[in-house]
């Protein structure tokens, strides 16, 4: 029965050299840095998106809570603060072509602009059209 030959561990090609280990570590380090860079970019993007969503939610809250009903709406401006967000509502005529001289018009369209500024300085503006009493001018 033949005996199995066991390889000798003392040979020069039996393991990795220190240069090969250092190159492998350098490749791993560069890969980790690339992954970290991608992750930090994603975190900044998510944070920016969260701030934008909060700004839009606040603008919608202002639009629903602070814009009066059509029967009470009139031309002019109002402003205030909701949480840490500053808001301003401007109500003006939609255009002169809607005004009919001498006509008894009960309702006319008005442009309502809602501007919301976040504590960081970002601004969102929503525009909508509402009907107001014809005598509101």
């Amino acid at each position: 029965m033949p005996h199995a030959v066991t390889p000798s561990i003392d040979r020069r090609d039996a393991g990795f050299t220190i240069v090969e280990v250092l190159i492998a570590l350098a490749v791993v380090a560069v890969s980790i840095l690339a992954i970290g860079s991608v992750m930090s970019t994603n975190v900044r993007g998510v944070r920016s998106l969260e701030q934008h969503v909060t700004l839009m939610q606040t603008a919608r809250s202002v639009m629903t809570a602070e814009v009066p009903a059509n029967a009470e709406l009139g031309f002019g401006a109002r402003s205030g603060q909701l949480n840490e967000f500053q808001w301003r509502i401007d109500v003006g005529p939609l255009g002169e072509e809607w005004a009919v001289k001498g006509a008894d018009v009960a309702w006319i369209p008005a442009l309502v602009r809602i501007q919301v500024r976040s504590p960081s300085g970002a601004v969102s503006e929503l525009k909508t059209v509402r009907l107001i009493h014809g005598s509101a001018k």
Side-chain angles (χ1 to χ4, degrees), residues 14-134:
F16 296 109
T17 64
I18 190 75
V19 173
E20 292 170 329
V21 171
L22 289 175
I23 290 173
L25 285 174
V27 168
V28 169
V30 168
S31 300
I32 289 173
L33 284 174
I35 291 170
S37 174
V38 168
M39 292 299 291
S40 70
T41 301
N42 285 343
V43 167
R44 278 181 290 197
V46 166
R47 190 173 303 132
S48 174
L49 186 59
E50 286 174 345
Q51 290 172 349
H52 179 74
V53 167
T54 303
L55 181 62
M56 294 309 295
Q57 287 175 338
T58 303
R60 284 185 176 203
S61 296
V62 168
M63 187 167 66
T64 58
E66 300 298 332
V67 175
N70 290 1
E72 300 153 5
L73 191 62
F75 293 122
R78 334 169 43 162
S79 61
Q81 185 171 345
L82 180 64
N83 298 329
E84 296 179 5
F85 293 81
Q86 300 289 326
W87 57 266
R88 178 178 172 87
I89 299 172
D90 293 308
V91 180
L94 183 61
E96 294 302 320
E97 66 273 5
W98 293 99
V100 179
K101 293 183 180 181
D104 186 23
V105 179
W107 298 93
I108 59 171
L111 179 64
V112 179
R113 277 183 270 163
I114 302 154
Q115 186 180 59
V116 179
R117 181 180 305 274
S118 73
S120 66
V123 176
S124 177
E125 184 173 291
L126 300 175
K127 294 179 183 178
T128 186
V129 175
R130 296 279 179 100
L131 292 175
I132 63 172
H133 278 293

